[in-house]
């Protein structure tokens, strides 16, 4: 069974960049589409970026994008120019068939998420 492991939460300064990783174990990630979601307390989980099996990507914001490292069974979310006070939990998710990358119901497996904060 596919398991997704994410790195621990971290703190960064506003304006800095952050790269999150999502490493698969148990099964190859090659045939899974990977989405990244942001969860803010009191709000619904929202899609941030997505990368399909060819690493073709989509994103909700120009400063964020997803990409893949197939050799290491890992997907990444790159976020640039983080805003002050931007605190959220970020989760990766993998699915075999993803018609709408922002729809959380289309993903089969989820990482546990990391808590990231941009603050001076």
């Amino acid at each position: 069974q596919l398991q997704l492991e994410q790195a621990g939460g971290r703190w960064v300064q506003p304006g800095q960049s952050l790269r999150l990783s999502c490493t698969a174990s148990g099964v190859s990630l090659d045939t899974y589409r990977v989405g990244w979601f942001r969860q803010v307390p009191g709000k619904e989980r929202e899609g941030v970026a997505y990368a399909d099996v060819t690493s073709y990507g989509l994103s909700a914001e120009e400063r964020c994008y997803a990409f893949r490292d197939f050799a290491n069974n890992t997907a990444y979310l790159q976020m640039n120019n983080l805003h002050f006070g931007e605190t959220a939990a970020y989760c990766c998710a993998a699915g075999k068939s993803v018609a709408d990358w922002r729809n959380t119901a289309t993903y089969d497996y989820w990482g546990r998420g990391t808590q990231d904060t941009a603050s001076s």
Side-chain angles (χ1 to χ4, degrees):
Q1 185 173 354
L2 179 67
Q3 292 185 322
L4 300 175
E5 299 178 7
Q6 298 183 234
R10 71 207 76 183
W11 168 87
V12 296
Q13 291 189 330
Q16 289 187 329
S17 297
L18 186 65
R19 178 175 293 180
L20 305 182
S21 64
C22 175
T23 301
S25 62
V27 175
S28 172
L29 195 59
D30 287 4
T31 58
Y32 288 84
R33 280 76 174 164
V34 178
W36 287 90
F37 292 82
R38 174 190 294 129
Q39 180 81 63
V40 177
K43 295 187 177 181
E44 290 189 1
R45 187 174 290 180
E46 62 176 357
V48 179
Y50 163 84
D52 73 5
V53 295
T54 66
S55 209
Y56 170 77
L58 298 168
S59 66
E61 305 172 55
E62 287 187 359
R63 64 190 180 100
C64 302
Y65 61 92
F67 61 100
R68 313 276 295 262
D69 179 352
F70 293 97
N72 291 299
N73 223 23
T74 300
Y76 295 92
L77 173 65
Q78 176 73 29
M79 296 183 289
N80 299 321
N81 190 26
L82 289 172
H83 304 152
F84 176 80
E86 185 172 2
T87 299
Y90 290 88
C91 291
C92 63
K96 282 281 191 176
S97 178
V98 177
D100 176 4
W101 73 271
R102 298 182 195 228
N103 184 354
T104 58
T106 62
Y107 294 89
D108 304 306
Y109 301 96
W110 288 82
R112 297 187 66 177
T114 62
Q115 185 74 27
D116 298 284
T117 302
S119 177
S120 60

